[in-house]
């Protein structure tokens, strides 16, 4: 999360105590800030995007590093609400990932697209979709 510009730590809780004393499976995302825990719903759109990207990338890296799996690709679709700083930080994080042979980022945001050297532009018209100006 820090690499995406937020000084936070994310914790995933997979079990919760029942009122009767038993334990049940759950998936709670807890965000720890320097001053304590804050509810996910209170974050801005850009902060939520950065938290979600950090979670997706971390889970994908965990799966890719397991010896029993063969994950060679990371795909991210339409990260929204990122400012120029967020675009740069995301591009830097994606460039630093070594676990994946291929990283695909789908975006309509020209500023984010321009942060990368290799691009494939997909254009849709009355005849359908086609690749145009691939770089």
């Amino acid at each position: 999360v820090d690499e995406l510009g937020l000084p936070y730590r994310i914790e995933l809780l997979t079990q919760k105590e029942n009122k009767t004393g038993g334990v049940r499976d759950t998936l709670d995302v807890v965000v720890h800030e320097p001053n304590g825990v804050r509810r996910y719903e209170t974050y801005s759109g850009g902060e939520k995007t950065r938290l979600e990207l950090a979670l997706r990338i971390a889970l994908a890296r965990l799966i890719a590093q397991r010896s029993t799996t063969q994950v060679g690709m990371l795909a991210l679709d339409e990260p929204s609400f990122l400012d120029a700083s967020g675009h740069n930080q995301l591009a830097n994080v994606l460039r630093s990932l070594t676990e994946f042979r291929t990283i695909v980022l789908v975006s309509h945001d020209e500023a984010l697209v321009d942060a990368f050297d290799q691009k494939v532009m997909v254009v849709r018209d009355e005849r359908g979709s086609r690749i145009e100006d691939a770089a």
Side-chain angles (χ1 to χ4, degrees), residues 43-121:
Y43 289 97
S44 71
E47 290 171 318
K48 285 180 182 178
T49 297
R50 290 173 193 228
L51 290 168
E52 292 164 1
L53 287 166
L55 267 173
R56 289 180 181 132
I57 291 168
L59 290 171
R61 290 178 89 179
L62 177 68
I63 292 168
Q65 291 172 358
R66 297 186 123 188
S67 61
T68 59
T69 60
Q70 301 254 338
V71 177
M73 185 175 107
L74 171 66
L76 299 172
D77 186 25
E78 294 292 348
S80 53
F81 305 111
L82 293 175
D83 56 13
S85 174
H87 292 155
N88 290 333
Q89 289 164 327
L90 175 58
N92 289 336
V93 166
L94 294 179
R95 284 186 203 106
S96 73
L97 297 176
T98 58
E99 297 87 352
F100 308 101
R101 287 187 309 276
T102 305
I103 297 174
V104 176
L105 173 65
V106 177
S107 180
H108 290 91
D109 189 321
E110 288 187 33
L112 185 55
V113 170
D114 288 342
F116 297 94
D117 295 330
Q118 295 181 345
K119 302 169 193 136
V120 175
M121 303 295 285

Side-chain angles (χ1 to χ4, degrees), residues 10-22:
I10 300 173
E11 178 182 18
L12 299 177
L13 302 177
T14 59
Q15 292 187 330
K16 187 180 263 186
E17 268 192 54
N18 291 331
K19 293 178 183 177
T20 60

